[in-house]
Amino acid sequence: MTSMESRSGKPGPKGLSRRIPERAHPVTLRDVAEAAGVSTATVSLIVNKKKDARIAEETKQRVKDAIRALGYRPNAMAKTLVSGTSRFIGLVADGVATTPFAGQIIHGAQDEAWKHGYALLIANTEGNGELEQDAIQMMLEYKVRGILYSTWFHRQTDIPAPLREADFVLVNCFSKEPESPAVVPDEVQGGRSATAILARHGHRRIAFINATIPAPAKDGRLLGYREALEEAGIPFDPDLVMEAYPDQEGGYGATPELLHRGATAVYCYNDRMAMGLYDGLREHGLSIPDDMAVVGFDNQEVIAAHLRPPLSTVSLPHYELGAAGVRMLLELDGAPEAASDGVARIYCPPVERTSVKARARA
């Protein structure tokens, strides 16, 4: 076997002065140097693209050939120590990875990060404060470019102390602390869009079944409801605003009171509540949308599109929240514009299906 052949008998790259053995361990700088017949210092200068290094073009090519033949990969952590940063973005979440639709936050952040040459380091803490602190510390040790800090539902949050040591963006949550960058759903716009679907189809007695649990979504969606009524010239009637627990049983239990108040259309705080309302209306012998038009919120895939009839609703933009968080962190073109409170509000798209139809004129 000549010096230009590997142990497998295949020719080595042209110009190499050492044979290239088969290896079971990661290829090192020394392996490349031996194969190319140069020093490790020369390989390091070429790998790190030192522009002021005086190295002959023939030598550079020989080293590049050896790198390709051996499959050498630079030590990312070593480069991180030199540069002070890495090609990682951290994402710390309290439950996003285990919830049915909020996992799209990770998907959106991952796609956007990858598009710009970054990978995500993800920690799902399930609300464990000690684990959260450890995860952030680990990411800081890896010198991440920055950290996305996310919650599985839209809420106010406290900023963990270690998070302040990095660039960060809050995703699906916000802080009252000034200059805390955040991206959240535009709950007011979402509530306005949901109500507008019903008003546009001629309904005037539009009820809103809100949640009993205090949250930004509860306040924002109610404000959006009121704004849509005003835009449509429909007087606000407080008797048409009800509250129920935001799940299927809550929607089901609200049915008798909804019918008592004489509504012809209803906007529900979320899709699960609307699903319960479907059951309640059917038990009263009523059909959707002929007797009652229904709109939900969330566009939960396992619910909205599979109800009969399919539910008109408004999407929570989880994928875009993750992507927008990365764009804001990296200060890219197309990053969402934050309001004076540092919070960027992301559009919630309406999705119209067949649970709403035009109201017959009396």
Side-chain angles (χ1 to χ4, degrees), residues 118-131:
Y118 289 87
L120 285 189
L121 289 177
I122 301 168
N124 190 52
T125 67
E126 297 295 338
N128 183 316
E130 184 176 347
L131 178 58

Side-chain angles (χ1 to χ4, degrees), residues 22-45:
E22 293 178 350
R23 301 176 187 277
H25 62 80
V27 179
T28 65
L29 275 180
R30 183 178 297 277
D31 296 329
V32 174
E34 288 181 357
V38 299
S39 69
T40 55
T42 297
V43 175
S44 179
L45 290 171

Side-chain angles (χ1 to χ4, degrees), residues 87-318:
R87 304 301 292 180
F88 289 115
I89 291 172
L91 190 152
V92 178
D94 67 355
V96 168
T98 55
T99 52
F101 54 96
Q104 285 294 309
I105 289 175
I106 292 177
H107 191 186
Q110 184 170 269
D111 285 354
E112 191 69 21
W114 193 253
K115 189 188 302 181
H116 301 287
Y118 289 87
L120 285 189
L121 289 177
I122 301 168
N124 190 52
T125 67
E126 297 295 338
N128 183 316
E130 184 176 347
L131 178 58
E132 178 179 272
Q133 297 277 329
D134 290 345
I136 295 172
Q137 291 288 1
M138 179 271 291
M139 290 175 181
L140 293 174
E141 290 171 10
Y142 273 80
K143 299 187 182 295
V144 292
R145 170 62 182 79
I147 298 174
L148 304 181
Y149 182 84
S150 184
T151 56
W152 77 269
F153 71 93
H154 179 191
R155 63 178 175 85
Q156 183 178 331
T157 190
D158 296 322
I159 299 174
L163 195 62
R164 305 173 198 276
E165 298 179 37
D167 291 338
F168 69 87
V169 173
L170 306 177
V171 177
N172 207 34
C173 55
F174 63 96
S175 170
K176 287 297 185 184
E177 296 186 29
E179 299 182 357
S180 298
V183 289
V184 301
D186 191 337
E187 305 283 6
V188 177
Q189 169 268 313
R192 191 167 56 245
S193 294
T195 310
I197 293 172
L198 298 166
R200 193 168 60 251
H201 282 81
H203 292 275
R204 306 278 299 175
R205 295 288 294 172
I206 301 172
F208 175 39
I209 308 179
N210 206 351
T212 52
I213 301 171
K218 177 182 179 180
D219 298 335
R221 295 175 193 182
L222 175 59
L223 178 56
Y225 165 78
R226 297 191 63 161
E227 287 184 357
L229 293 180
E230 184 177 354
E231 289 173 6
I234 301 172
F236 172 70
D237 183 351
D239 286 341
L240 290 176
V241 178
M242 307 164 52
E243 290 189 355
Y245 194 79
D247 66 1
Q248 186 173 3
E249 288 302 313
Y252 176 81
T255 308
E257 188 62 30
L258 174 69
L259 297 176
H260 176 71
R261 298 188 187 191
T264 66
V266 58
Y267 148 44
C268 297
Y269 174 83
N270 64 20
D271 294 345
R272 288 175 296 160
M273 187 182 283
M275 180 167 59
L277 183 64
Y278 267 49
D279 294 337
L281 290 171
R282 287 197 178 101
E283 283 194 3
H284 282 79
L286 302 176
S287 67
I288 302 166
D290 295 321
D291 299 310
M292 183 75 70
V294 182
V295 172
F297 204 113
D298 288 352
N299 196 30
Q300 226 174 318
E301 289 183 11
V302 295
I303 297 175
H306 300 289
L307 289 173
R308 293 293 178 267
L311 179 67
S312 293
T313 185
V314 172
S315 287
L316 276 174
H318 287 106

